[in-house]
Structure formats: C-alpha cells, structure tokens
Amino acid sequence: TAKAAAVAVANIDVKTTAGMSVAIKHRATLRTIRLEIEEARKERKAPILEITRLLDGRAKEITGEIAPEEERFDAAIKSEESRKEREKAEREAAELARVTGIQNRIALTAGVPAAYVGESAETIAAALAILEEETSAPWAQEFQTTAEETIKKSIAAMKQLHAGAVATEKAAAEEAARVAAERAELARLRAEQEERARTEQARIAEETRKRAEEEAAHRARLENEARAAREKIEAEE
C-alpha cells in the first residue's frame, strides 16, 4: 500500500511524449504492485483453502452418516404429526357434524307449525301428538334447554293451529249444511210449484174437457130440436 501510494498521480498530459512516457511508467509500476498483491493473496490463502477442503470433506462424510438417521427420525415424527393432525381434523369434523345435526333438528322442530298451515285438523292433530310425545330433548345434549323450549313453542303453536283448523272446518261444515238445506228447500219448493202447475194444468184440462162436452151436448140438443122442428113442419104440410 505504501509503495503504491509513493507513485505520484500528478496531472500528466499524455498528449506530450514526456507525459505519455511518465504515464506508461506509472501504469507498469501499479500493475506490478497489483500482481504482487494477488500472488501474496494466493500464497497465504492456499493453506486456508486446504483446511476448508478438508473441513468440507469431513463435514460431507459426517453428514452422509447422520442424514439417514435424521431422515428416519424426521419421517417418524412427521408421520406421527400427520396422524395427530388427521385425528384432530376427524374429531373436529365429527363435532361439527354433531352440533350441526342438533341445530338442524331444533330448526326443523321450530318450523313444524309453518309446515302444517292450511292442513286439515286431523293431519295437524297427528303431528301434534308426535310433538307431545317428545317434551324433553336429551338428544340435544348441551342444547337441551333450547330444544325443549323450541318443542314447547311448537306444541303451543300447533295447538292454536289445530283449534283454528277445527273452527274453520266446523264453519265450513255448517256452511255446507246450510247450503244443502237451502238447496233442499228450493228443491221442495220447486217440486211443490211443479206439482201445483201439474194440478192446475189437469184442472184446466178437465174444465176444458167438460166445457167441450157441454158444448157438444148443447149443439146436439140444438140439432135435435131443429131436426124435430123440421120434421113437425114437414108432417103438418
């Protein structure tokens, strides 16, 4: 470094012959210094490179010996971790399915009344009987309280629905009976009217027949009287 620093780096005009000569001389000096540094570096680094080579070789040998064992333990550990993760996932899936099943059953119970709107009283009564058989819900486990409250609400709603259906069907039956009675009365009145009409027609027909017979008898009597008068006149002549 000191040798290199000793080379003067003055402003040199390489356009002149003297300047070019000085520049070439300085370049040669600096190149020599650089080459000497590189040679010294290689000489001093050679033992280090050898040590590094030996260390790398030994490390490779040791790595080759322990890698299979490490891989064996690693495979066993990963296999066990995978098994635990798989079992955990299965447990979580089973738990989710269990909870979802309970919640779905509670939701179905809550939706029973809406499903039977418009059904007959008999159909509603049958569904109500099934609900009333299950006032407790041990199947709901930690959701048992919610399930039992839902069942009670559905039973109450179904009872109201049944009462409404009974009232509706009763009103419909009474209306049908009323309509049937009115139709029967109309039929009776129509029959009486038709009977009176037939009786009146028969009476008129009988009166017409009698009148026709009387008129025929009257004509016959007049004809007989006329004939008798002619015969008397003829006899007198």
Side-chain angles (χ1 to χ4, degrees):
T1 303
K3 188 175 181 181
V7 178
V9 186
N11 291 328
I12 299 173
D13 187 2
V14 294
K15 293 180 179 179
T16 64
T17 302
M20 177 62 75
S21 177
V22 172
I24 292 172
K25 181 178 179 181
H26 285 350
R27 185 184 66 177
T29 301
L30 293 172
R31 180 184 296 117
T32 301
I33 295 170
R34 178 174 59 78
L35 293 176
E36 288 175 352
I37 291 171
E38 179 64 18
E39 185 64 26
R41 183 189 68 80
K42 289 181 179 179
E43 289 178 359
R44 287 167 173 75
K45 186 178 178 181
I48 298 174
L49 291 176
E50 179 62 19
I51 293 172
T52 301
R53 185 184 67 77
L54 293 174
L55 287 174
D56 289 344
R58 183 53 181 160
K60 186 175 181 180
E61 291 177 3
I62 296 173
T63 299
E65 293 175 357
I66 66 173
E69 294 301 315
E70 180 186 0
E71 291 176 359
R72 180 170 65 84
F73 284 110
D74 183 63
I77 292 169
K78 289 181 177 178
S79 176
E80 179 62 14
E81 290 175 345
S82 297
R83 184 189 66 79
K84 290 179 178 179
E85 287 295 326
R86 185 171 60 255
E87 290 181 353
K88 179 182 178 182
E90 291 173 354
R91 288 193 302 271
E92 290 175 350
E95 177 63 11
L96 178 61
R98 182 189 69 82
V99 172
T100 301
I102 293 172
Q103 292 176 340
N104 287 342
R105 186 169 177 180
I106 293 173
L108 287 174
T109 302
V112 168
Y116 281 86
V117 172
E119 295 291 340
S120 66
E122 181 180 0
T123 301
I124 295 172
L128 177 58
I130 295 174
L131 276 177
E132 289 177 333
E133 290 177 356
E134 189 179 21
T135 55
S136 63
W139 50 267
Q141 300 178 29
E142 69 269 33
F143 302 100
Q144 184 171 357
T145 300
T146 300
E148 290 176 354
E149 290 176 355
T150 301
I151 293 171
K152 290 178 181 178
K153 290 180 181 178
S154 291
I155 288 175
M158 287 292 282
K159 286 181 177 179
Q160 292 181 353
L161 197 63
H162 180 260
V166 169
T168 299
E169 291 176 5
K170 182 180 178 181
E174 291 175 351
E175 179 64 14
R178 185 188 65 78
V179 171
E182 289 180 353
R183 289 178 178 174
E185 180 63 15
L186 288 174
R188 184 186 66 78
L189 293 174
R190 188 180 294 110
E192 289 180 354
Q193 185 178 10
E194 290 175 353
E195 182 62 25
R196 285 196 299 270
R198 284 193 297 271
T199 301
E200 182 64 17
Q201 289 176 356
R203 185 187 64 77
I204 293 172
E206 181 64 18
E207 289 179 354
T208 301
R209 184 186 64 77
K210 288 181 178 181
R211 190 163 49 249
E213 289 179 352
E214 289 176 355
E215 289 177 355
H218 180 66
R219 283 196 300 272
R221 186 171 62 254
L222 291 175
E223 289 176 356
N224 289 333
E225 290 177 352
R227 186 182 304 108
R230 285 195 304 273
E231 289 177 350
K232 183 178 179 181
I233 293 170
E234 288 174 356
E236 288 179 353
E237 291 179 352

